[in-house]
Amino acid sequence: MLLCLCSLTLFAACSNSPQKQKAAAENVAAPILNFLKQKYPAATILKSEKETNGTEVDIQEKNLHKEVWFDTKDQWVSTHWEISARDVPVAVMDALQSSAYNQYKVEDITAIERPDGLFYDFELKQDNNEIHVVLNSNAQIVTQRTTRAPGYDW
């Protein structure tokens, strides 16, 4: 009985109630909130974190968890979300497979939307080597790096 009561209490505390959603939105600066309402009108704000290089707002949109980044002046920098290989355009996957990284295993793929376009960040691994390769939506390699920089600056 005590276990059931504890489980119920934990479930209620972790639920995504309207009060928690409203509290998450209240902590977001007005310019950021306006941008989110315009770009992602159906999204739910999960949380917001102010950091030294800007603000990260986590949203839920169409069953996808997305991280939306803003600079210190509350201007949109990028939006990031994990995707599967089947959601990557065929031309982009073909370009990766015909590159020097074709022997690497794809560990994770992150879609990155920025003002200058849509990009795909592939986390690749081979033996003890891990690398990130970023391709744009035109299937061109934009950058490759061994570590991912905060805010995905490249």
Side-chain angles (χ1 to χ4, degrees), residues 11-27:
F11 177 75
C14 294
S15 71
N16 200 8
S17 68
Q19 292 85 6
K20 286 188 180 185
Q21 292 172 12
K22 186 175 182 183
E26 287 174 358
N27 295 330

Side-chain angles (χ1 to χ4, degrees), residues 3-154:
L3 181 59
C4 288
L5 183 59
C6 289
S7 296
L8 248 154
T9 304
L10 182 60
F11 177 75
C14 294
S15 71
N16 200 8
S17 68
Q19 292 85 6
K20 286 188 180 185
Q21 292 172 12
K22 186 175 182 183
E26 287 174 358
N27 295 330
V28 178
I32 293 175
L33 197 56
N34 291 337
F35 175 87
L36 293 171
K37 285 180 181 178
Q38 182 181 14
K39 185 148 182 81
Y40 308 107
T44 300
I45 297 174
L46 302 175
K47 71 176 184 173
S48 173
E49 292 183 46
K50 195 136 183 103
E51 300 181 14
T52 56
N53 61 344
T55 302
E56 176 190 348
V57 180
D58 289 6
I59 63 171
Q60 187 79 24
E61 182 193 42
K62 300 178 185 173
N63 297 323
L64 288 175
H65 176 259
K66 295 184 176 184
E67 297 173 358
V68 188
W69 287 83
F70 298 87
D71 64 16
T72 56
K73 296 179 179 163
D74 298 336
Q75 296 296 308
W76 177 61
V77 174
S78 60
T79 303
H80 310 245
W81 65 98
E82 290 188 16
I83 61 173
S84 67
R86 71 177 180 274
D87 295 324
V88 176
V90 173
V92 173
M93 289 301 292
D94 287 348
L96 181 66
Q97 292 304 315
S98 63
S99 74
Y101 306 103
N102 62 1
Q103 297 299 312
Y104 283 70
K105 179 183 177 208
V106 176
E107 294 283 312
D108 287 307
I109 307 168
T110 302
I112 304 170
E113 183 181 14
R114 300 183 347 172
D116 59 339
L118 184 59
F119 301 85
Y120 302 91
D121 181 352
F122 293 87
E123 180 184 324
L124 306 173
K125 193 169 187 179
Q126 182 184 45
D127 301 324
N128 290 331
N129 299 322
E130 185 175 300
I131 190 166
H132 285 264
V133 177
V134 178
L135 286 90
N136 62 20
S137 55
N138 294 324
Q140 299 168 327
I141 294 178
V142 175
T143 188
Q144 54 265 338
R145 61 194 180 284
T146 55
T147 59
R148 188 171 10 190
Y152 296 86
D153 298 324
W154 60 71

